[in-house]
Amino acid sequence: MEEMEEELKCPVCGSFYREPIILPCSHNLCQACARNILVQTPESESPQSRRASGSGVSDYDYLDLDKMSLYSEADSGYGSYGGFASAPTTPCQKSPNGVRVFPPAMPPPATHLSPALAPVPRNSCITCPQCHRSLILDDRGLRGFPKNRVLEGVIDRYQQSKAAALKCQLCEKAPKEATVMCEQCDVFYCDPCRLRCHPPRGPLAKHRLVPPAQGRVSRRLSPRKVSTCTDHELENHSMYCVQCKMPVCYQCLEEGKHSSHEVKALGAMWKLHKSQLSQALNGLSDRAKEAKEFLVQLRNMVQQIQENSVEFEACLVAQCDALIDALNRRKAQLLARVNKEHEHKLKVVRDQISHCTVKLRQTTGLMEYCLEVIKENDPSGFLQISDALIRRVHLTEDQWGKGTLTPRMTTDFDLSLDNSPLLQSIHQLDFVQMKVPATPILQLEECCTHNNSATLSWKQPPLSTVPAEGYILELDDGNGGQFREVYVGKETMCTVDGLHFNSTYNARIKAFNKTGVSQYSKTLVLQTSEVAWFAFDPGSAHSDIIFSNDNLTVTCSSYDDRVVLGKTGFSKGVHYWELTVDRYDNHPDPAFGVARIDVMKDVMLGKDDKAWAMYVDNNRSWFMHNNSHTNRTEGGITKGATIGVLLDLNRKTLTFFINDEQQGPIAFENVEGMFFPAVSLNRNVQVTLHTGLPVPDFYSSRASIA
């Protein structure tokens, strides 16, 4: 059970959990530690100030929503909390886990409440120290989080199994050995802490103090606290909401918070989730067994590598000694190569052993923790953590997937020394075979760029006598970054596609053979096109699309909408192209925009999550992405109309124009990745593509002002 101990310790204080609460991300924190890492957000960031200023609901403002959605990541406003709108006026401290903690502006008023029950400041935000996701607390503060009774039970059993001396629970630094336990407070005290925190006078004089050992027994025999509803503290959990994945009480149901949700009996769901966790553990147990066998295999490989290395070195020494003085220098070189291979194999195998051992230890700890959780008889407490445990078990099982339990190195040495030819011709031994090839020369007259592609050509020097087995071409990222390999092979010409437009790249080449690699060639600077020239792509288009005019004009043979993409993709820079409407019959609604390469081709553009489009008829237009229609705008198209598409990947926006006038607001923001120009149309529409166009002047001036 020692491997389970890290599952039972708080990530903030590093000690066993005390009064653990469950965050919406399924991680746990001590209640006192949760209060310690609370951050009071500035007033400008608070939900109240946002509503007062008329701004929209922020990502962290869930107070106006159904409070029961606190546990739903889809609508609770639970997300990353990156910082503050303005600098705080009070100095901030850092907790051990890196969370910023802002001290209160004035000393808190005296209170007889414990720190865990004291009121939480307004606009408090808590950040999970494990997944770093944050949320703003509502009026209930930390009381809004359910307590993890199951985890408390597991910790109690674990500590009892350790049979260690009981420590004081109130010592701030090194805990001293406890001398008494208060049965009413359920706290172990050393003598100094008892005199300071539990004086024998006033209401505390009636408390019963017992020896620590007796207190441990009474704690173990005392009935486990039953989890109560976080919204109705006097009500016990009696049902389970399947949609919210949380236990609820009858009063929650009567108030209608889960009226449209599927609700099941608590006991039935408890048994079901226990069964699911047990089944998941069976698969993980098999993986752990395989991992143990794999570790045995790896350890045997270490021994075999050692034996093979000794055997190979002995054979190599015997062969080299036969060559006497003429081969002594060569013998040392070969021995060095063998030792290098030996160390490399050992390092790879030992690294794999270390990695597998750590992963197995984590797996075993998780298994033991889950088995202890299954022993718990608290249905609601179990259900609060069962989903998270099931996901962790499946995730851990997937991590033992293909390739994890396969050796990364063989025990054999791919080296062989044949000394018979050398013994016969030792005086004719030459070093030509041991030379690296000469540095290649880039042929500048044949190197060029087109759009976002670059073609490079090279050759070996005319007087080179050492053959090259292949070449390695490297380019940087177009922004002065590190070089990366883009081609490895025997050819002496290569075309690199998919580069950024209007970017400067550095290219270099080197040759290699069995002996090694040559020096790099001189660096060649390449400039890609400032604007893109492209046509429609017949290879990726739907079969109903009809092409003409060198693939610049398209129409369709079907009454249904079909999608066609441009040949060139964009991932950086500002790009603008236009489409003219050559034919427009019966008022159809073609769509124009951008899409991923794997967009659906047999529906209107924007119906799936792989396209961002504007569809327009003769009167109005709409923006559409993932079948969501927004921003209806008056103004349509007719025959002869011109539709402009402006993709600004520097500002991550997509904007549309009709007849040189912007249609509606900016259509889409936060667009990132690789996009291809796209159109969807039917047989009633024919359009022609115009590319190589500069960005409109008014947009360039507006962007420079911004």
Side-chain angles (χ1 to χ4, degrees), residues 105-125:
M106 61 182 67
T111 176
H112 297 290
L113 296 175
S114 65
L117 298 178
V120 173
R122 291 184 57 198
N123 309 328
S124 293
C125 169

Side-chain angles (χ1 to χ4, degrees), residues 26-62:
S26 300
H27 293 130
N28 299 287
L29 282 179
C30 299
Q31 192 171 36
C33 294
R35 185 173 185 84
N36 288 339
I37 66 172
L38 285 178
V39 175
Q40 187 171 1
T41 62
E43 190 67 23
S44 60
E45 294 291 322
S46 67
Q48 293 84 351
S49 64
R50 289 180 181 273
R51 288 194 294 271
S53 62
S55 59
V57 179
S58 73
D59 291 341
Y60 321 108
D61 181 9
Y62 61 78

Side-chain angles (χ1 to χ4, degrees), residues 310-486:
V310 172
E311 180 182 353
F312 189 84
E313 289 182 13
C315 178
L316 182 61
V317 169
Q319 292 175 349
C320 290
D321 285 344
L323 299 178
I324 315 173
D325 296 336
L327 289 180
N328 279 339
R329 191 176 303 171
R330 180 65 177 150
K331 178 181 67 175
Q333 295 175 353
L334 293 175
L335 280 173
R337 287 179 56 188
V338 172
N339 286 329
K340 183 178 180 180
E341 181 73 8
H342 168 213
E343 294 299 329
H344 173 66
K345 288 179 178 288
L346 288 181
K347 183 179 182 304
V348 172
V349 175
R350 284 170 176 162
D351 288 347
Q352 194 169 8
I353 289 176
S354 176
H355 175 73
C356 191
T357 300
V358 172
K359 185 177 292 185
L360 177 60
R361 180 176 179 275
Q362 295 173 347
T363 300
T364 304
L366 178 59
M367 290 171 56
E368 292 179 354
Y369 173 57
C370 291
L371 291 174
E372 291 299 323
V373 169
I374 292 178
K375 295 178 184 178
E376 285 296 308
N377 294 321
D378 180 0
S380 63
F382 178 84
L383 290 174
Q384 287 173 340
I385 64 174
S386 58
D387 285 314
L389 286 178
I390 292 171
R391 289 196 301 272
R392 286 186 61 191
V393 168
H394 284 304
L395 178 62
T396 304
E397 181 181 1
D398 293 341
Q399 291 175 350
W400 286 107
K402 295 182 179 179
T404 306
L405 301 181
T406 302
R408 300 174 184 171
M409 181 60 64
T410 63
T411 61
D412 297 328
F413 281 75
D414 299 329
L415 301 172
S416 178
L417 183 63
D418 183 9
N419 64 342
S420 55
L422 294 177
L423 288 173
Q424 297 175 8
S425 57
I426 189 170
H427 297 292
Q428 300 176 1
L429 197 62
D430 198 352
F431 292 97
V432 172
Q433 298 180 5
M434 301 303 299
K435 292 182 179 179
V436 298
T439 303
I441 299 175
L442 286 166
Q443 300 190 85
L444 302 181
E445 65 276 10
E446 296 183 17
C447 298
C448 62
T449 60
H450 176 71
N451 268 351
N452 61 336
S453 299
T455 299
L456 296 102
S457 178
W458 58 88
K459 64 180 181 180
Q460 282 290 95
L463 301 178
S464 174
T465 58
V466 180
E469 295 180 1
Y471 302 93
I472 301 175
L473 175 63
E474 297 182 356
L475 263 71
D476 66 3
D477 60 359
N479 197 29
Q482 294 183 347
F483 282 88
R484 65 190 190 281
E485 294 182 4
V486 295

Side-chain angles (χ1 to χ4, degrees), residues 102-252:
F102 285 82
M106 61 182 67
T111 176
H112 297 290
L113 296 175
S114 65
L117 298 178
V120 173
R122 291 184 57 198
N123 309 328
S124 293
C125 169
I126 188 169
T127 299
C128 176
Q130 292 182 277
C131 63
H132 305 294
R133 301 171 72 183
S134 306
L135 81 161
I136 297 176
L137 275 60
D138 60 12
D139 295 337
R140 297 174 298 172
L142 296 178
R143 292 181 291 103
F145 298 117
K147 295 183 179 180
N148 195 335
R149 302 295 186 191
V150 173
L151 180 57
E152 285 183 319
V154 174
I155 292 174
D156 287 343
R157 286 200 301 273
Y158 179 78
Q159 290 179 326
Q160 293 163 13
S161 68
K162 300 288 286 185
L166 292 172
K167 301 292 185 180
C168 176
Q169 295 177 277
L170 296 182
C171 290
E172 295 183 356
K173 296 183 179 178
K176 300 178 181 178
E177 187 172 345
T179 56
V180 294
M181 175 203 173
C182 177
E183 289 187 335
Q184 284 73 27
C185 299
D186 194 22
V187 175
F188 290 94
Y189 298 94
C190 64
D191 287 336
C193 291
R194 176 177 59 82
L195 295 175
R196 185 177 70 254
C197 303
H198 201 285
R201 61 181 180 273
L204 298 179
K206 298 180 180 180
H207 287 197
R208 184 185 177 206
L209 302 179
V210 297
Q214 181 180 346
R216 169 188 278 174
V217 174
S218 63
R219 173 185 282 183
R220 183 164 64 246
L221 297 178
S222 62
R224 184 66 49 77
K225 297 178 181 178
V226 178
S227 297
T228 58
C229 179
T230 55
D231 286 334
H232 313 97
E233 297 182 353
L234 300 180
E235 296 290 335
N236 295 335
H237 291 139
S238 56
M239 304 295 287
Y240 182 81
C241 178
V242 178
Q243 277 77 8
C244 297
K245 296 184 178 181
M246 60 177 291
V248 296
C249 68
Y250 278 112
Q251 191 167 346
C252 290

